Amino acid sequence: MNKQRFGFIVLLGLLVVSAVLQKIGALALLGVRPNPTLALLIAAAFFLRHPFWYFGLVILQYALLKNAPYLDWPALALAALLLVNFWLVKILPWQALFSLFLLTAATTMAFFAMINFSFITRNPSLLTGEVLYNVVLGLVFYLILQKLKIEL
């Protein structure tokens, strides 16, 4: 099996597992439900050179997370934010880990601003918990992808 195929299969597996864990709330801790697909796909953007691979992963993420047979606003908003992140990863001048932390935190907050702004004002502690949880998950995914030398 060539390196590209192996890398894409690993990413697909991680994405499916992350989406299932997110849907069933298996990673919830003290009321904080992280967004592992967001963390994974932001981390993956650092290792994917071609937008085709990333776009395919975002489309799969949308299909796995949507809750209705029609356009699902939260899943669509997340997909749009992730596509913007792919572009931002390529132009940010900072080191990868700093960019990962910044993008994960900003995307988490932007996601809540887009789908339920009152959550931000009513639950700042839960938002902070989710931002931190997503940043930690992003770091874990980044280190996994780096260790496996995933490059597509």
Side-chain angles (χ1 to χ4, degrees):
M1 181 181 304
N2 70 20
K3 189 176 179 180
Q4 277 193 332
R5 185 175 293 161
F6 173 74
F8 197 67
I9 290 171
V10 168
L11 276 172
L12 283 176
L14 285 171
L15 182 60
V16 169
V17 169
S18 295
V20 168
L21 291 175
Q22 183 172 333
K23 284 283 259 192
I24 64 173
L27 298 177
L29 181 66
L30 301 173
V32 176
R33 291 183 60 146
N35 193 331
T37 59
L38 176 145
L40 172 63
L41 289 175
I42 292 174
F46 288 92
F47 299 94
L48 300 176
R49 289 184 298 246
H50 197 284
F52 172 76
W53 296 108
Y54 194 75
F55 185 72
L57 290 171
V58 170
I59 294 297
L60 177 61
Q61 169 269 336
Y62 174 77
L64 291 170
L65 292 182
K66 69 184 219 148
N67 292 318
Y70 49 86
L71 287 178
D72 186 27
W73 172 243
L76 189 61
L78 181 58
L81 288 169
L82 290 169
L83 290 172
V84 169
N85 272 299
F86 182 77
W87 174 70
L88 288 173
V89 161
K90 306 306 179 209
I91 65 166
L92 287 177
W94 307 302
Q95 288 186 343
L97 287 180
F98 181 74
S99 295
L100 174 74
F101 294 158
L102 179 72
L103 288 174
T104 305
T107 304
T108 301
M109 290 186 279
F111 177 67
F112 280 110
M114 290 173 76
I115 64 163
N116 186 4
F117 189 78
S118 65
F119 178 81
I120 294 172
T121 57
R122 290 185 190 153
N123 302 307
S125 60
L126 281 178
L127 177 67
T128 303
E130 182 152 346
V131 166
L132 292 174
Y133 205 162
N134 286 344
V135 166
V136 169
L137 284 174
L139 176 62
V140 168
F141 286 130
Y142 182 88
L143 294 174
I144 289 169
L145 296 174
Q146 187 179 47
K147 185 77 171 171
L148 293 174
K149 296 180 176 28
I150 303 291
E151 288 184 23
L152 298 173

